[in-house]
Amino acid sequence: MKISLHSSTTNHGTVERVVDEVARVGRTGLAGYWAPMLNGVDTLTALAVAANRVPDVELATAVVPIPLRTPYALAQQALTVQEISGGRLTIGLGTSHKDLAERLFATEWGSPMATMRSYLTELRRLLEGEHPDRLSPRAPAPQVVLGAVNPVMAAFAAERADGVVTWASGLRTVEQVIVPAASGRREPFRIVTALPLCVTDDVEAARAAIHRKLGANDALPSYQRVLAREGADGIAAMSLVGDEEAIAGQLRRLSESGVTELAAHVVARGGDDERTWRFLGEVAADERSSVSPRRSIG
């Protein structure tokens, strides 16, 4: 299981802060940097700047809400970032939520599944150069993974995408929804799980900090369904929190469940921040040096 970083700095920070974080990911030896695209800086533009300054790190969106771009606009921008980065981009794509689509993006909300089917079909055709008269790619098509936490979207991802990326969901979603959906797939299938993480001795304070920072999402209907499945009362309860030994055990369970990549959303302050990054770097180094076969889905 690869170790990457998930960060919401694109929502509230500057492009320079994004670049600094990507550079820290590289120094720490983590595999990639995953970032959402909402109401802050343009994530793909920020990733293009980071790609020009930081080598080797995979750059990924988690996720681009499809109301934000037409398939053509996203394909054009993604291929540009792919060219700048030398092929290091992954597009995480999501349907978004009704409230965000109507309130933040000022767009109409339709059937999420039907919209995703038509959107991904058109996007993949453009990325792969099937319409050179409309868009002629000068870089290889980036992988596309879907934000999926329900059986229908997970099955569609297994059929048409390169994997899934989840936020605020845990082992039950992986084991009961994602892995069964991908069980008949022959090609490699990425299962990327993004979760808050803090290495600390003060578990109660860390979970309280996670709730303050990220708990607003608990009220969204799609997240409430996931919380019910996981048997948790909020994202803070599903977060990876504890000392090094405790979190190492949680990471083993995620890897054994079928997760191919953890995108850790670090929520830590002071000494806990350095401690958490040091731990992630050590785990990533162990993963790189491991000679044991990795579990595959398909």
Side-chain angles (χ1 to χ4, degrees), residues 11 35-39 41-44 61-71 74 91-98 100-101 104-105 107 109 115-116 119 145 147:
N11 291 348
M37 181 183 284
L38 281 173
N39 56 343
V41 301
D42 181 86
T43 299
L44 284 165
T61 61
V63 293
V64 175
I66 58 179
L68 279 181
R69 298 284 191 280
T70 65
L74 181 57
I91 292 293
L93 196 63
T95 58
S96 191
H97 306 272
K98 185 176 187 294
L100 290 178
L104 190 61
F105 309 142
T107 60
W109 179 255
T115 303
M116 179 59 84
Y119 191 102
V145 301

Side-chain angles (χ1 to χ4, degrees), residues 72-231:
Y72 188 97
L74 181 57
Q76 187 178 49
Q77 190 175 20
L79 288 167
T80 301
V81 179
Q82 185 76 323
E83 181 179 341
I84 292 169
S85 67
R88 288 183 281 143
L89 179 67
T90 292
I91 292 293
L93 196 63
T95 58
S96 191
H97 306 272
K98 185 176 187 294
D99 175 66
L100 290 178
E102 294 178 344
R103 176 180 55 83
L104 190 61
F105 309 142
T107 60
E108 294 184 1
W109 179 255
S111 166
M113 194 65 247
T115 303
M116 179 59 84
R117 281 185 180 278
S118 61
Y119 191 102
L120 182 62
T121 298
E122 176 70 358
L123 178 67
R124 295 300 291 258
R125 287 172 177 169
L126 290 164
L127 289 174
E128 292 165 9
E130 292 186 21
H131 299 291
D133 55 321
R134 298 178 58 206
L135 185 63
S136 183
R138 293 188 299 272
Q143 287 195 331
V144 179
V145 301
L146 303 187
V149 291
N150 65 66
V152 175
M153 189 65 75
F156 179 63
E159 175 190 350
R160 298 296 305 277
D162 299 298
V164 300
V165 56
T166 67
W167 167 252
S169 62
L171 283 168
R172 292 182 183 177
T173 296
V174 173
E175 294 174 340
Q176 298 175 15
V177 176
I178 308 301
V179 170
S183 61
R185 184 181 169 103
R186 295 181 179 180
E187 300 84 5
F189 190 73
R190 299 177 68 176
I191 301 178
V192 184
T193 295
L195 281 170
L197 185 148
C198 179
V199 179
T200 183
D201 294 322
D202 194 341
V203 172
E204 184 176 346
R207 292 199 189 278
I210 291 169
H211 176 73
R212 287 192 301 271
K213 181 179 180 182
L214 303 169
N217 289 339
D218 295 345
L220 293 170
S222 59
Y223 288 147
Q224 288 182 333
R225 289 190 289 271
V226 173
L227 291 173
R229 179 193 301 131
E230 300 287 349

Side-chain angles (χ1 to χ4, degrees), residues 282-292 294:
E282 291 169 354
V283 173
D286 288 343
E287 166 61 21
R288 291 194 303 274
S289 64
S290 174
V291 295
S292 61
R294 295 178 181 173

